[in-house]
């Protein structure tokens, strides 16, 4: 992801979420050098992912596929790619938050081995107030380059 991608990334964010990140958050993610990727089919951007890897941990901040392209396996492919990058950067554990109401995302993360480790009360905004976040974690096995 580059600054040139931000208008498209922001449009995907707005299409996917009722309470999207603002554009400045994406700018900050690039500024602090988080791993920011854009998913493309041909020349069409259909999603993005943002992670931070530090002190042996990965935090998945945002994994988003445009609603038109969801339920086709692209989120799973992106998640696996982000986790591979985390392993390459020596992360031992990956963490993320997911809306308590987002059953499809929770099913994806569960199928990929994530386990619930906690709840952040009133973490996400909603139309009528706030919603809890489920905190998930995955122990990452190191990549064995000798296989």
């Amino acid at each position: 992801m580059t600054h040139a991608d931000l208008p498209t990334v922001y449009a995907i964010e707005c299409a996917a979420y009722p309470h999207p990140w603002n554009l400045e958050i994406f700018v900050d993610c690039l500024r602090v050098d988080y791993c920011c990727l854009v998913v493309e089919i041909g020349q069409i951007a259909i999603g993005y992912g943002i992670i931070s890897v530090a002190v042996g941990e990965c935090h998945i901040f945002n994994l988003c596929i445009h609603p038109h392209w969801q339920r086709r396996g692209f989120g799973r492919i992106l998640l696996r790619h982000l986790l591979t990058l985390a392993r390459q950067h020596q992360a031992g554990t990956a963490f993320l938050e997911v809306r308590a109401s987002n059953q499809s995302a929770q099913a994806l993360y569960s199928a990929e081995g994530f386990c619930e480790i906690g709840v952040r009360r009133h973490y996400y905004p909603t139309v009528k107030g706030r919603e809890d976040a489920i905190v998930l974690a995955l122990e990452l096995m190191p990549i064995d380059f000798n296989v």
Side-chain angles (χ1 to χ4, degrees), residues 19-30:
H19 298 280
W21 282 4
N22 62 48
L23 192 57
E24 291 76 30
I25 294 173
F26 291 100
V27 171
D28 284 344
C29 288
L30 289 174

Side-chain angles (χ1 to χ4, degrees), residues 56-76:
E57 295 180 355
C58 164
H59 194 111
I60 300 174
F61 290 119
N62 204 332
L63 188 155
C64 181
I65 301 296
H66 189 285
H68 175 76
W69 294 94
Q70 290 177 2
R71 302 201 188 287
R72 300 182 194 195
F74 297 114
R76 184 178 311 275

Side-chain angles (χ1 to χ4, degrees), residues 58-59 93-98 105-110 114-119 133-138:
C58 164
H59 194 111
T93 308
F95 297 95
L96 61 84
E97 292 87 17
V98 61
Q106 289 180 47
L108 168 64
Y109 298 133
S110 177
F114 280 84
C115 297
E116 182 177 337
I117 61 166
V119 175
I134 307 299
V135 182
L136 303 176
L138 174 67

